[in-house]
Amino acid sequence: MILLTPGPANTTEEVKRSLCVEDTCHRERAFCALLEKIRNDLVRLAGGLGSHEAVLFTGSGTCAVEAAIGRAVPPSGRLLVLCQGDYGKRMVEMSAILGVPCESLESRPDAALSLAALAEALATGRFTHLAIVHHETTTGLLNPLEEIAALAEEHGVALIVDAISSFGGRAIDLAETPVDLLIGSANKCLQGMPGLSFVIVRRAVLEQMDAWPARSFYTDLLGEFHAVRTTGQMRFTPAVQVAFALRRALAELEKETVEGRSARYSRNWSVLQSGMASAGFRKLLPDAIESRLLTTYRIPDHPGYAFEAHHDRLLDEGFVIYPGKPHAGPSFRLGNIGAIGESDIRAFLAANLRVLEALGVAPPLYATD
Ligand code: PLP
């Protein structure tokens, strides 16, 4: 099965096999050493050695987002969330539930962020923290992280970045780009299994957190950091087998390098784009702001087209395509991340043509073509 989704993504056979390990006690030294290796690898991957610490959570990406937002913003602080789609919106909803003082800055889901509008909001002096989504998976929009980080630094605002769908697939260098809390998960561009997520947090930021209480128990970032620093163990039962798979996935990424993986994903994307364009599909975003990790396509106006039928027939052929999000309008999404290459994408494009023919859907696919 080829997953053309935003993740969980396809994994290698070796990562899959890493799940089958001896029964393991998570409080024994050997497993603690494995966790330490994962944390170090994550920090090194992000370019944060010496300045940042990785804190792991058993839970999906959202768990780490809650840990970052809920713990980093003091009661006297105020968070500005950049909202360009569902994942920005979720951070606003989460803040309301956690009692984090928060405002949102709305930006079109299908257009480049206005750095001037962001600078204007930060210049009001109302905010202590800014949260953004690096790759807004709602649409496939990639934000200019370096420029945003420079603005946050200029205005003395701490920066929280949800990099869940970009970490490992696009280079992020904390030595060059001042990010205070960087959030990721095991199962997207890292090509591991779902079940572990993490926050890579600046040490100086962790040190300040003692001054205010946690807003939640399980996702207490500082509590989790203290536990691991003093005992080497995670506070609660970790996803043991997922950690073994993540260790293997990180070793594979080290071999491929982030640059190599990023280039492979970009090649996948190019093949996918030209094939989908030849089949008559139209994208939501202009090339310049696309992540090249995931693409949103407009649902065709063709009377024979129905996403469910398209999806189901492709599933029979061994390919999973993904529905769109409400923010993007009627659409579907195709990811090109994971342990897949150009031949998989070409096989998908051929299957897609067969499916469209079987459905009686031929260009023009849109009324305005
Ligand atoms: N943030 C982004 C940018 C995402 O793409 C996702 C999932 O796709 C999440 C957060 C939520 O992650 P999870 O579903 O693993 O909790």
Side-chain angles (χ1 to χ4, degrees), residues 41-52 167 172-176:
D41 283 355
L42 290 172
V43 176
R44 194 178 52 242
L45 205 57
L49 281 179
S51 57
H52 288 67
F167 190 75
I172 296 176
D173 184 2
L174 296 179
E176 297 290 324

Side-chain angles (χ1 to χ4, degrees), residues 220-244:
D220 176 1
L221 184 64
L222 186 63
E224 196 59 45
F225 173 68
H226 278 325
V228 92
R229 196 173 48 175
T230 51
T231 67
Q233 303 171 9
M234 287 173 70
R235 278 190 304 167
F236 312 110
T237 309
V240 172
Q241 287 74 8
V242 176
F244 278 94

Side-chain angles (χ1 to χ4, degrees), residues 192-250:
M193 295 291 171
L196 282 171
S197 54
F198 52 88
V199 183
I200 300 175
V201 49
R202 196 187 290 285
R203 281 183 186 157
V205 169
L206 277 169
E207 280 158 18
Q208 294 161 1
M209 284 179 195
D210 256 338
W212 58 88
R215 292 184 176 89
S216 66
F217 186 65
Y218 194 85
T219 60
D220 176 1
L221 184 64
L222 186 63
E224 196 59 45
F225 173 68
H226 278 325
V228 92
R229 196 173 48 175
T230 51
T231 67
Q233 303 171 9
M234 287 173 70
R235 278 190 304 167
F236 312 110
T237 309
V240 172
Q241 287 74 8
V242 176
F244 278 94
L246 180 55
R247 179 180 64 174
R248 170 72 205 189
L250 286 168

Side-chain angles (χ1 to χ4, degrees), residues 10-179:
N10 281 102
T11 56
T12 61
E13 286 309 307
E14 291 74 16
V15 167
K16 283 187 257 295
R17 273 203 295 270
S18 307
L19 288 166
C20 293
V21 287
E22 289 294 327
D23 294 332
T24 299
C25 173
H26 62 288
R27 305 225 176 261
E28 289 300 324
R29 272 199 300 279
F31 187 72
C32 293
L34 181 146
L35 289 178
E36 192 182 351
K37 169 135 184 60
I38 290 175
R39 287 195 305 272
N40 280 338
D41 283 355
L42 290 172
V43 176
R44 194 178 52 242
L45 205 57
L49 281 179
S51 57
H52 288 67
E53 298 279 351
V55 182
L56 288 168
F57 291 92
T58 289
S60 73
T62 309
C63 180
V65 180
E66 276 205 2
I69 284 183
R71 198 61 180 86
V73 185
S76 58
R78 193 160 196 82
L79 174 69
L80 178 67
V81 176
L82 176 61
C83 256
Q84 299 162 296
D86 284 49
Y87 296 104
K89 188 166 162 249
R90 270 189 207 176
M91 290 201 273
V92 176
E93 290 167 356
M94 199 180 274
S95 299
I97 289 171
L98 294 170
V100 174
C102 171
E103 286 177 38
S104 65
L105 176 68
E106 302 293 323
S107 175
R108 280 182 54 171
D110 58 352
L113 162 72
S114 161
L115 287 168
L118 179 61
E120 197 182 317
L122 295 178
T124 61
R126 283 212 302 279
F127 304 104
T128 53
H129 292 70
L130 169 67
I132 67 145
V133 180
H134 183 211
H135 170 212
E136 188 33 278
T137 328
T138 300
T139 54
L141 184 153
L142 190 74
N143 277 307
L145 187 56
E146 288 79 11
E147 282 90 334
I148 294 172
L151 272 181
E153 189 174 47
E154 185 188 325
H155 291 90
V157 166
L159 181 59
I160 302 170
V161 176
D162 169 349
I164 286 173
S165 60
S166 57
F167 190 75
R170 292 286 172 248
I172 296 176
D173 184 2
L174 296 179
E176 297 290 324
T177 311
V179 175

